[in-house]
Amino acid sequence: MSDQTMLARLRDSDMWWSFRRSPLVVVASIVTLLYFVGAIFAPWVAPYDPFDVKSLNLMDAFTPPAWVEGGDARHLLGTDNQGRDVFSAILYGSRVSLMIGLAAIVLSVTTGVLLGLLAGFRGGWIEAIIMRLADIQLTVPAILIALTLDGVTRAVLPKNVHDSVAMWVLVFSIGFAYWPQFARVTRATTLAEKNKDYVNAARIIGVPGARIALQHVLPNAWGPVVVIATIELALAIIAVFAWRGAAAQV
């Protein structure tokens, strides 16, 4: 499928139609995009470098936000106990949190959507096994999985190696914890779509099952998947902060 065909299908999709006609969603998307751009281009957007010790001034510590009495226009959101600009620290800190959160959600979406599509389209014992695994996984909190895997890697790997792979351990932990939500909603959509006329027509003319599932059934599941992904991204970022706080006390 060419890029032009994919773009044409996107423009004609219900998801794009609903997006364009919801001012609240458009505004929220713009704010989210600005947040991501600010994080990606933090070295150029942030007024200060929070990692540059030479630029810190303890006399500027605990400065309130600029709009509060005693605030300083140089520090929009104020400073912390070491005189670091809070706005700059947020932009720089967002880079790691967003990178881990996005990587984890991509892993969750890929795993969950493929397993949900397989469960719904094939059915039988395959569906039973995948759904029971999803039910078991839903009982285990993401932060517990992250701390468990981090503890195992700390015990098995040398400290320098652990420090280099800690981020990927967290990505795998969160991605592994959140796949059941995507699997369940994809399975439900697949069950609703697989017996419709267009799917039966594709079977009759000899289209392979995998192609029917990926090119015809899967596009109908993207709407709910995108909605869940936005929620899970926020939860993944919260899990990153929780893991940082818990790991710092280990």
Side-chain angles (χ1 to χ4, degrees), residues 21-119:
R21 281 162 177 77
S22 177
L24 182 62
V25 174
V26 173
V27 172
S29 300
I30 294 174
V31 172
T32 303
L33 180 61
L34 291 175
Y35 186 70
F36 275 85
V37 170
I40 294 171
F41 297 99
W44 297 274
V45 176
Y48 300 94
D49 184 357
F51 301 107
D52 185 7
V53 181
K54 296 181 296 184
S55 64
L56 299 181
N57 186 355
L58 291 177
M59 299 299 295
D60 293 332
F62 297 112
T63 301
W67 60 86
V68 178
E69 184 180 357
D72 191 333
R74 297 176 302 166
H75 305 290
L76 180 63
L77 300 180
T79 61
D80 62 6
N81 58 350
Q82 298 182 23
R84 289 176 298 193
D85 183 68
V86 173
F87 178 67
S88 301
I90 290 175
L91 289 178
Y92 273 88
S94 299
R95 307 180 81 188
V96 177
S97 299
L98 289 176
M99 183 172 62
I100 295 176
L102 282 175
I105 292 305
V106 168
L107 178 60
S108 296
V109 170
T110 303
T111 305
V113 166
L114 291 178
L115 289 177
L117 194 64
L118 178 62

Side-chain angles (χ1 to χ4, degrees), residues 119-142:
F121 202 77
R122 293 298 298 272
W125 63 270
I126 295 178
E127 179 184 14
I129 291 176
I130 293 175
M131 289 299 100
R132 296 300 76 74
L133 289 175
D135 292 339
I136 295 172
Q137 180 62 57
L138 286 172
T139 64
V140 183

